[in-house]
């Protein structure tokens, strides 16, 4: 309308001016004029005026566009600065709404930040003529307006020219009289942050350039929200890292274990416990400081150093003795430590993390316990020896007293001879006890030779066969054929098997149930396994190790040396003798002997 009025006014004004000028010129020449000439002149003047008027309108429109673009640029700069300075979305959404209304010329603006359930987590608005709370409640309850639903599923802006008709379920529709509404989602990198909606005249929003500008602004806002998310994530990550570092440092600083980090052959960190207890320990990892290591552990520590330098393992353990203050020649006090080393990355470069624990006190206590155990064993041995030789000695004393009284009487020669025989028997018993003790303390060294382990087992079973049949004991043989040969002394292995079979038979003497002894042999990996199981009462709980102690016995008549001697013989073969529950219901003794020469069989 403004353009039309301006054009008509310019036309009429131009025609009038042109006619006056032309009339004046004609009057000066002849004093008369022609009306048609004046009309033509008016038409030409009008056209000239129209052109001038349109030019004026176009110039005004361009000036207004330039002014608006400047305002938009100013708004975008403000939004950019706002995004850079904001620490959370709450500082961004309300100023954005104000800038869009103020600088873009929109009648109203509202913006909603959505959570994962598309519920409004934050909402701001500017210029609305109706309350926004019903819209907020709709978001909270999942009742989204049609424009929002369409915008969330559509990549571009949604234009609604008649909101009161096309968006009836929107609580803001009544406030959109004589204006159109354009809504779009705020999305960046496949993440939707919310929706932006503006109201303006239909003429403004229908313009494709205006729609492109609106979409570009929405993308800038979405990018700003994305940057805020990154800032929040970085801040939270940094805070979590600081908390984690604080917890880690608190644990390390207050640990009762010495901890230090070795990097480029330098100690770059030590916790207080390491400084207090192991001040000189890092020097041990230099070869020239081996003088501080106990002489018996030097080779072990050097091998450990080579393992560290080879980097073939991630975690390595060692225990050794060293002198933390000064060498032993200068009166240094020895410490025994357990050390675990792991490869880590420290400040972007490879390093080694050392955990060092002082086990000196534990080793001392262990040594004392071993001494106590040996003393206890020695006491039991002494008690056993005393018990074994007391009765024969008592008999010898009685016989000697009797012999002193009658040895000169001629009629007592036969009696004297009988007393002498009894003295010889009693001394023989004492000699047997002493021999068994000597055999236990210094058993005969085994004469190792390639041996088929089933051969001494069969020999022992043959020797026991008659006795076991008389006692009603069934023998269950499960000897694996074609077993590999092992290095063993057949006579000593036969002695051990005789002892185990005899013990099993004696354990079932008072038993009325069916009696059975199972003897088996097998191979597992690099080990030959032989077991003797019985159906007797088994070993009392807690006595599994005590039964191997010298002179310890649960039998009424026994020296208590057999199992101790058997374990010593098997240990001299490099093997083990253990006891456990038997599938027959009693006890099972298991012998494990190593296979030499790397021979390996799979079970």
């Amino acid at each position: 309308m403004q353009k039309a009025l301006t054009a008509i006014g310019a036309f009429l004004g131009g025609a009038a001016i042109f006619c006056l000028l032309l009339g004046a010129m004609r009057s000066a020449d002849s004093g008369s004029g022609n009306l048609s000439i004046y009309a033509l002149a008016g038409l030409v003047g009008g056209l000239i005026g129209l052109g001038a008027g349109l030019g004026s309108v176009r110039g005004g429109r361009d000036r207004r566009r330039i002014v608006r673009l400047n305002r938009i640029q100013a708004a975008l700069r403000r939004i950019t600065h706002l995004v850079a300075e904001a620490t959370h979305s709450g500082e961004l959404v309300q100023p954005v709404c104000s800038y869009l209304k103020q600088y873009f010329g929109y009648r109203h603006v509202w913006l909603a930040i959505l959570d994962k359930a598309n519920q409004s987590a934050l909402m701001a608005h500017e210029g609305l003529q109706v309350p926004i709370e019903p819209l907020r409640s709709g978001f909270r309850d999942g009742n989204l307006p049609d424009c929002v639903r369409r915008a969330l599923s559509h990549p571009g802006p949604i234009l609604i020219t008649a909101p009161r008709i096309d968006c009836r379920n929107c609580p803001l529709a009544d406030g959109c009289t004589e204006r159109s509404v354009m809504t779009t989602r705020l999305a960046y990198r496949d993440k939707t942050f919310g929706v932006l909606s503006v109201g303006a005249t239909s003429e403004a929003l229908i313009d494709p350039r205006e729609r492109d500008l609106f979409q570009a602004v929405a993308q800038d806002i979405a990018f700003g929200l994305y940057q805020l998310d990154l800032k929040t994530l970085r801040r939270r990550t940094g805070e979590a890292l600081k908390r984690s570092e604080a917890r880690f440092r608190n644990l390390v600083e207050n640990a009762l274990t010495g901890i230090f980090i070795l990097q480029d052959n330098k100690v770059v960190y030590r916790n207080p416990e390491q400084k207090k207890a192991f001040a000189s320990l890092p020097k041990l990892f230099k070869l020239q400081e081996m003088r501080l290591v106990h002489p018996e552990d030097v080779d072990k520590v050097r091998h450990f150093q080579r393992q560290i330098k080879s980097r073939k393992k991630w975690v390595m353990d060692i225990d050794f003795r060293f002198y933390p203050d000064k060498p032993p020649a200068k009166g240094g006090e020895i410490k025994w430590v357990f050390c675990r080393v792991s490869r880590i990355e420290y400040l972007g470069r490879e390093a080694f993390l050392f955990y060092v624990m002082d086990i000196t006190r534990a080793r001392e206590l262990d040594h004392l316990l071993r001494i106590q155990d040996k003393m206890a064993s020695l006491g039991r041995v002494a008690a056993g020896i005393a018990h074994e030789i007391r009765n024969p000695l008592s008999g010898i004393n009685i016989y000697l007293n009797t012999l002193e009284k009658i040895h000169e009487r001629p009629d007592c020669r036969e009696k004297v001879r009988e007393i002498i025989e009894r003295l010889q028997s009693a001394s023989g018993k004492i000699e047997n006890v002493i021999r068994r003790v000597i055999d236990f303390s210094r058993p005969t060294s085994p004469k190792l030779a390639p041996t088929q382990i089933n051969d001494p087992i069969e020999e022992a079973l043959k020797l026991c066969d008659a006795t076991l049949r008389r006692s009603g004991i069934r023998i269950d043989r499960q000897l694996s054929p074609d077993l590999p040969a092992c290095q063993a002394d057949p006579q000593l292995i036969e002695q051990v098997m005789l002892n185990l079979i005899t013990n099993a038979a004696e354990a079932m003497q008072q038993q009325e149930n069916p009696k059975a002894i199972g003897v088996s042999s097998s191979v597992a990996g690099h080990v030959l396994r032989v077991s003797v199981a019985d159906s007797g009462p088994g070993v009392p709980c807690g006595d599994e190790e005590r039964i191997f102690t010298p002179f310890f016995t649960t039998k009424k008549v026994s020296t208590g040396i057999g199992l101790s001697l058997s374990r010593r013989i098997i240990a001299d073969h490099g093997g083990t003798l253990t006891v456990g529950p038997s599938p027959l219901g009693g006890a099972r003794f298991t012998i494990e002997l190593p296979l030499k020469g790397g021979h390996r069989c799979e079970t």
Side-chain angles (χ1 to χ4, degrees), residues 301-334:
V301 173
R302 282 179 173 159
H303 176 69
F304 188 65
Q305 286 180 333
R306 289 193 292 270
Q307 282 187 315
I308 294 174
K309 293 178 180 178
S310 67
R311 294 173 172 81
K312 292 181 179 179
K313 296 181 179 179
W314 283 96
V315 179
M316 294 158 282
D317 295 337
I318 186 177
D319 63 278
F320 61 96
R321 291 159 291 178
F322 78 106
Y323 302 89
D325 299 323
K326 48 189 174 182
K330 297 182 179 180
E333 182 181 357
I334 193 170

Side-chain angles (χ1 to χ4, degrees), residues 185-198:
R185 64 179 180 177
L186 302 174
Y188 185 78
R189 289 191 177 180
D190 297 329
K191 180 177 180 180
T192 299
F193 296 92
V195 290
L196 173 66
S197 182
V198 299

Side-chain angles (χ1 to χ4, degrees), residues 58 133 163 175 271 275 277 281 318 359 391 403 480 509 524 551:
R58 188 180 296 109
E133 187 56 37
N271 74 335
K275 295 177 183 178
L281 184 59
I318 186 177
I359 59 173
N391 291 336
L403 186 61
S480 298
Q509 282 182 350
F551 294 98

Side-chain angles (χ1 to χ4, degrees), residues 315-352:
V315 179
M316 294 158 282
D317 295 337
I318 186 177
D319 63 278
F320 61 96
R321 291 159 291 178
F322 78 106
Y323 302 89
D325 299 323
K326 48 189 174 182
K330 297 182 179 180
E333 182 181 357
I334 193 170
K335 278 186 177 292
W336 199 313
V337 296
F338 173 82
C339 182
R340 170 165 291 176
V341 184
S342 59
R343 291 165 55 192
I344 63 170
E345 182 178 310
Y346 182 73
L347 300 178
R349 292 186 295 119
E350 185 187 53
F352 295 94

